[in-house]
Amino acid sequence: MPYIHKQGKDTIIFATKEDHATPSNISLPEPEPSPGAFLSTGEINWNCPCLGGLATGPCGLEFREAFSCFHYSTAEPKGSDCYEAFKTMQACMLEYPSLYGKKGASLDDLDEEEDSMEGHRKGGTEVPRLESEGKEVQHTSSIETGVQKSNA
């Protein structure tokens, strides 16, 4: 039987070998399921760790607007009506490169993409076909580099 000693706010428990030899009879409650990015109501769970804190950072407002626009978008393809919201979010993130990192993207890249998207929206530009389309392409993975290489 363990010896219990109270010392101020602390409780000290001395246990014997026999105390440790018997299995514990303590039962823990089942963990509550995590709701994930979306609540059961269909609303966005801004507190979800899966969003990586983007909803609360310096560009949190811009992120929430862009993410909400995409989530609730009914346009085809989904989110195609959210371009301006994502462009605003990217502009904000470019102001904080130490937080969000700069992986070679710039607003100029976005403007070029917008120009090509305008052509697609108007139906004036045909999507280019890949050379390998219709051919079987074999892929092997390189464990050392983690990069897939095409053997076509």
Side-chain angles (χ1 to χ4, degrees):
M1 172 166 253
Y3 171 71
I4 300 172
H5 175 70
K6 290 199 179 264
Q7 187 174 14
K9 65 176 180 54
D10 301 321
T11 301
I12 303 169
I13 302 173
F14 294 97
T16 63
K17 277 188 175 183
E18 293 80 25
D19 293 329
H20 288 289
T22 58
S24 173
N25 58 359
I26 296 174
S27 62
L28 300 173
E30 289 295 319
E32 293 182 21
S34 176
F38 304 103
L39 303 172
S40 59
T41 60
E43 294 179 21
I44 300 169
N45 178 12
W46 297 116
N47 295 323
C48 181
C50 60
L51 297 178
L54 289 172
T56 57
C59 299
L61 178 64
E62 292 83 354
F63 173 77
R64 289 190 303 271
E65 286 176 3
F67 194 80
S68 294
C69 179
F70 181 81
H71 177 63
Y72 296 113
S73 174
T74 56
E76 279 299 321
K78 185 172 179 81
S80 60
D81 54 341
C82 304
Y83 179 78
E84 286 302 318
F86 278 97
K87 187 173 180 179
T88 302
M89 179 185 76
Q90 184 183 27
C92 179
M93 289 179 169
L94 287 173
E95 292 178 25
Y96 300 94
S98 61
L99 273 178
Y100 298 110
K102 184 176 180 187
K103 302 205 177 180
S106 70
L107 286 177
D108 295 334
D109 296 338
L110 254 176
D111 289 335
E112 290 171 10
E113 288 176 23
E114 181 179 4
D115 293 341
S116 67
M117 287 298 291
E118 286 300 317
H120 289 296
R121 287 186 199 128
K122 294 175 185 171
T125 306
E126 185 176 318
V127 177
R129 305 198 84 151
L130 296 174
E131 284 182 32
S132 63
E133 207 169 274
K135 297 179 187 174
E136 185 176 327
V137 178
Q138 297 177 359
H139 292 279
T140 60
S141 63
S142 172
I143 295 174
E144 291 81 26
T145 60
V147 176
Q148 289 194 347
K149 297 178 182 178
S150 174
N151 291 333

